[in-house]
Amino acid sequence: MKRRLITQMRHEWRSNLWLILELAIVGVVLWTSFTLFIYLIHTRMQHYGYDMTDMYCANVKYVPKGSDAFQQYPDSTHSYVTDLAMIKDKIRSNPYVEMVGLGQNSMPYNFNFYGNNVSFTQDDSTYMYYGNQRFVSPEIIRMLRLEGFNGETTEQLANLIEKGEILLSNFDNQGQRPGPSEFVGRDIFLNCDSSKVYHVGGSAYGIQRSDYEGLFAGVIYTPLPDGWGSELAIRVKPGMGRQFMESITTADTEHGNVYLSNLRSVEQMRISAHSDITNVVRGYSVCAGFLTLIVFLGFLGSFWFRIQQRTSEIAIRVANGATRTDILRRLLGEGMVLLCVGTALSLAIELVLIHYNIVNWGMDMTNYIPQLAVLTSVLILTLMVVAGIWLPARKAMRINPATALKDQ
């Protein structure tokens, strides 16, 4: 009965091996789950660099010239552009509206991706920056209250767009050099088209397609051609969204051959964009919670059985002067040794998964999220093991030694 803990565990290696494997597998599953959850929390809590409150958006529709509903223009001074300008003026005159602007792929919670690149040549080498091209008017920059990544104010960014210059977002260009900030101040080609030269005027925060996705690629803010656009953005006065929606009529959203459709708040766009992934995350959370409970009950059952098998051993130790604290310390020590070996094995598996970019959402160990997920999963496993040992051990230590040894 005075055998050392490691010696005793070595004699019980078969049952210990299965527990170690169980701990390793559960550790990997918990790490995967916590990596996802921490990533989502991190993404939702980051600084966006733009403000979407009190904003509304509508799609701009144009009646085709071959349609029966098309209204012929009386002369060359009238066109789609003048019709759209009239709609803008009507909405701008609404007493609840603060600002109106045109854009194309300019709003968040829009899953369109206009992939494009900007490039410049230096020392016989061509450097590229890839991103989602967003066509914006100066009003869009002002309405979003877009912040410059290098300290530029919203008004400075709007003025750069007004001058016809391009803005690049703060995306890290996948670790390649030069980074987006090194494009600022350079003349570049857009989509490798050398027929027209653009100037990169500044760097701004990037507009994300969703709160869960994060900024997975750069953003290229390009000046919108004058008078055109596929979406009309509206910023209403603070707290006046309901009054604005109630005051809008069909006459305000139609003129000539142009009309607005699907007018809704950016908050509604956010809810719609997140509906599918929110359901997935909610279901994943329920499954992860249920799995954690099942795993805990499994550990509890395993350790309960092991401790019940050792009732006579515990009784002999108590009869030889061991205190309840001594017994509990030995049982917990055995559990911690098993946990350490199982954790080491799970860490090895997790490093392989990270190395081959499997179930780690493109992150590596230089990112704090997988590391924090490791610490969290180890903490949860430790609590499970301690609770799984403490509950049955507490009951076993209450047994009278004489009762436990009567059949020995």
Side-chain angles (χ1 to χ4, degrees), residues 83-96:
D83 288 344
L84 182 54
M86 287 297 297
I87 294 176
K88 283 179 60 182
D89 289 340
K90 291 178 186 178
I91 295 180
R92 189 183 291 115
S93 63
N94 187 294
Y96 304 111

Side-chain angles (χ1 to χ4, degrees), residues 243-263:
Q243 293 88 333
F244 165 71
M245 291 298 290
E246 290 174 352
S247 67
I248 289 294
T249 64
T250 303
D252 297 322
T253 60
E254 294 181 359
H255 189 87
N257 295 308
V258 179
Y259 62 95
L260 303 182
S261 70
N262 198 20
L263 176 62

Side-chain angles (χ1 to χ4, degrees), residues 271-282:
I271 294 172
S272 177
H274 292 165
S275 59
D276 290 340
I277 190 170
T278 298
N279 291 333
V280 171
V281 171
R282 187 181 295 117

Side-chain angles (χ1 to χ4, degrees), residues 166-342:
I166 284 179
L167 306 175
L168 299 182
S169 79
N170 53 305
F171 182 60
D172 66 1
N173 208 21
Q174 300 178 348
Q176 299 178 10
R177 297 296 302 275
S181 61
E182 296 172 75
F183 278 77
V184 176
R186 294 183 182 274
D187 292 329
I188 54 89
F189 302 128
L190 187 60
N191 199 25
C192 300
D193 181 6
S194 59
S195 63
K196 187 173 181 180
V197 177
Y198 294 84
H199 185 76
V200 179
S203 178
Y205 280 87
I207 296 175
Q208 301 178 180
R209 302 197 306 175
S210 85
D211 295 342
Y212 290 109
E213 188 177 69
L215 196 63
F216 73 96
V219 175
I220 305 170
Y221 295 101
T222 308
L224 185 74
D226 230 4
W228 288 92
S230 62
E231 56 196 8
L232 185 73
I234 306 159
R235 177 173 283 279
V236 302
K237 294 176 181 178
M240 294 296 176
R242 182 178 61 83
Q243 293 88 333
F244 165 71
M245 291 298 290
E246 290 174 352
S247 67
I248 289 294
T249 64
T250 303
D252 297 322
T253 60
E254 294 181 359
H255 189 87
N257 295 308
V258 179
Y259 62 95
L260 303 182
S261 70
N262 198 20
L263 176 62
R264 73 280 193 207
S265 68
V266 175
E267 176 62 19
Q268 289 175 311
M269 294 170 61
R270 185 187 72 83
I271 294 172
S272 177
H274 292 165
S275 59
D276 290 340
I277 190 170
T278 298
N279 291 333
V280 171
V281 171
R282 187 181 295 117
Y284 194 89
S285 302
V286 171
C287 291
F290 181 72
L291 177 62
T292 303
L293 177 61
I294 294 300
V295 167
F296 169 69
L297 293 177
F299 281 150
L300 181 62
S302 297
F303 286 115
W304 198 296
F305 177 77
R306 288 166 64 94
I307 291 174
Q308 289 299 312
Q309 293 292 100
R310 294 181 178 179
T311 300
S312 59
E313 177 187 336
I314 293 173
I316 293 174
R317 289 182 180 279
V318 172
N320 282 275
T323 64
R324 290 185 176 183
T325 303
D326 294 332
I327 300 299
L328 183 61
R329 186 184 299 117
R330 186 177 183 89
L331 293 174
L332 286 176
E334 180 181 359
M336 291 302 101
V337 171
L338 294 173
L339 177 63
C340 289
V341 178

